[in-house]
Amino acid sequence: MNAWTTALGGRQEAGDRVVFDTPAQARLALDSTVIAPLAHLGVLDITGSGAEAFLQGQTSAEVGLADGRFAPLTAFCTPKGRMLANAQLLRLAPEHYRLIMHRELVAPLADHLKKFAAFYKVDLRTRDDLALIGLIGQGATATAEVRFDIVAPTVWHHAGQDDTQLLTHPGPRPRVLACLPAEQAPACWERLAESASPVGNAVWCLHDIQAGIAWLTPAHRDALLPQMINWEALGGISFKKGCYTGQEVVARAHFRGQVKKRLVRAQLDGSELPALASPVETADGKAVGEVLAAELDAYDQAEILAVLSTKEDLGPLSVAGQALKLLKLPYPIERLDPESLAARR
């Protein structure tokens, strides 16, 4: 799926990681415009006359809000409210929806959903024929608009035609995600590289961390409530829609305030990247949380997202022997209804 990246100078490492030899990549993204192949993300398409009704019963989003412009965040849960995947949902046509999520969860989610798909006359298709490219930096929006001839949308919205779409994501610098046919990716990349520097997808993942956005991986599949990754604070849960799988547990946790763990952003006192699911430990070695994402920042310090106990006084914390310092999230931990996000054009 990502062979085109190696043909243009990238190297595939660790399955979903692509690296380039560009120096000081994280710092470069702060001062200029960069492009990254988003090899860690994948695409699942849902098509058919019953696609909207099918998704409405399976996902935390109000599917009707996906109107061809707004692309809400969403989560798929077990009956116990534990997430099987989280994603961004696009509607490309009245009977055509698209999910963008971590690539390693595309096939497991498709297998799970196929158990119900036949009742709604829908088809599920893993889109390995699509490429995802990220642009980061002050010139990201203008560069994307010129190269794709599409006006970039506002945050959590999308614009384009058919299989070529632009999506805008939040972060410390402007970010645009381009989804396009893989056969067009090499030529597109070369045009973008005329005004942007190639970097690995670790830089995009770092900006996700700094934006407080956690994308579920196999390490935490079927383990966390959506609220444990602050999904309702990002507009990823509609509390105004009807029933969906896991809705009762998710709603009860919200209205009764029973969320015992929350997503936090932190910096480690060191440059060693902890493995996913590494424990966050107290001074006496008690595990009170787990790492969901980790990347090196512009100063070669490890930044992480972790799910942490909501107990007020945990004392000094560490991960893999490195002291942990909590950082501020860029949003308040409070309910944000996706209906309000949909109205922002």
Side-chain angles (χ1 to χ4, degrees):
M1 179 175 63
N2 297 299
W4 61 272
T5 62
T6 57
L8 296 170
R11 300 192 307 278
Q12 189 96 22
E13 293 184 357
D16 63 0
R17 190 58 56 101
V18 175
V19 299
F20 290 84
D21 292 328
T22 309
Q25 295 180 25
R27 187 170 299 183
L28 192 63
L30 299 178
D31 302 325
S32 61
T33 303
V34 300
I35 51 173
L38 306 185
H40 60 292
L41 298 179
V43 176
L44 178 65
D45 276 7
I46 301 95
T47 57
S49 59
E52 180 174 350
F54 169 70
L55 286 169
Q56 183 73 351
Q58 294 294 330
T59 185
S60 65
E62 173 55 67
V63 178
L65 294 176
D67 57 0
R69 293 175 293 179
F70 180 50
L73 295 176
T74 192
F76 294 83
C77 300
T78 68
K80 294 183 179 180
R82 268 52 182 178
M83 289 183 295
L84 297 172
N86 61 341
Q88 187 174 12
L89 173 66
L90 294 70
R91 192 192 75 173
L92 303 182
E95 298 181 1
H96 185 181
Y97 291 85
R98 173 163 295 163
L99 295 167
I100 298 176
M101 68 185 82
H102 195 279
R103 64 185 295 269
E104 293 185 21
L105 293 183
V106 172
L109 181 64
D111 289 341
H112 169 75
L113 294 177
K114 283 176 183 176
K115 295 182 290 186
F116 314 103
F119 300 104
Y120 290 87
K121 298 180 179 179
V122 300
D123 293 316
L124 304 173
R125 180 186 175 194
T126 301
R127 295 300 303 269
D128 289 334
D129 59 329
L130 296 177
L132 300 171
I133 297 174
L135 297 94
I136 309 171
Q138 295 301 331
T141 300
T143 300
E145 291 181 346
V146 169
R147 298 307 179 193
F148 291 95
D149 195 24
I150 298 170
V151 176
T154 56
V155 171
W156 298 134
H157 287 67
H158 69 108
Q161 293 182 346
D162 302 323
D163 282 334
T164 299
Q165 296 285 327
L166 295 184
L167 303 90
T168 301
H169 284 199
R173 295 292 186 273
R175 291 199 295 166
V176 178
L177 185 157
C179 179
L180 68 157
E183 63 185 17
Q184 299 175 16
C188 176
W189 182 271
E190 290 182 339
R191 292 196 304 271
L192 291 169
E194 294 173 2
S195 53
S197 300
V199 299
N201 56 331
V203 178
W204 183 274
C205 295
L206 171 65
H207 283 241
D208 273 338
I209 290 173
Q210 294 173 341
I213 302 168
W215 296 105
L216 206 67
T217 70
H220 290 92
R221 184 176 184 269
D222 195 11
L224 303 172
L225 294 174
Q227 290 98 322
M228 291 180 180
I229 62 167
N230 302 343
W231 216 230
E232 87 283 28
L234 290 163
I237 306 172
S238 173
F239 292 99
K240 298 181 180 182
K241 67 175 287 185
C243 294
Y244 60 90
T245 303
Q247 182 264 347
E248 183 178 352
V249 176
V250 173
R252 186 188 309 124
H254 172 69
F255 290 110
R256 295 185 180 180
Q258 296 176 336
V259 182
K260 298 180 180 180
K261 296 180 179 180
R262 278 288 184 182
L263 187 77
V264 299
R265 177 181 164 228
Q267 185 180 68
L268 302 183
D269 185 18
S271 58
E272 179 183 346
L273 286 180
L276 299 186
S278 293
V280 178
E281 299 178 322
T282 61
D284 59 3
K286 181 181 178 181
V288 291
E290 289 189 0
V291 173
L292 267 69
E295 299 293 347
L296 294 180
D297 66 15
Y299 307 97
D300 288 328
Q301 293 289 109
E303 289 196 25
I304 69 169
L305 292 177
V307 170
L308 192 64
S309 169
T310 55
K311 290 183 179 179
E312 291 186 4
D313 186 14
L314 297 174
L317 300 172
S318 65
V319 176
Q322 300 174 100
L324 179 151
K325 175 186 176 182
L326 291 175
L327 300 175
K328 186 177 180 180
L329 285 166
Y331 51 79
I333 304 300
E334 58 186 36
R335 170 176 159 181
L336 174 62
D337 288 326
E339 290 79 5
S340 65
L341 285 175
R344 300 176 187 176
R345 301 302 186 191

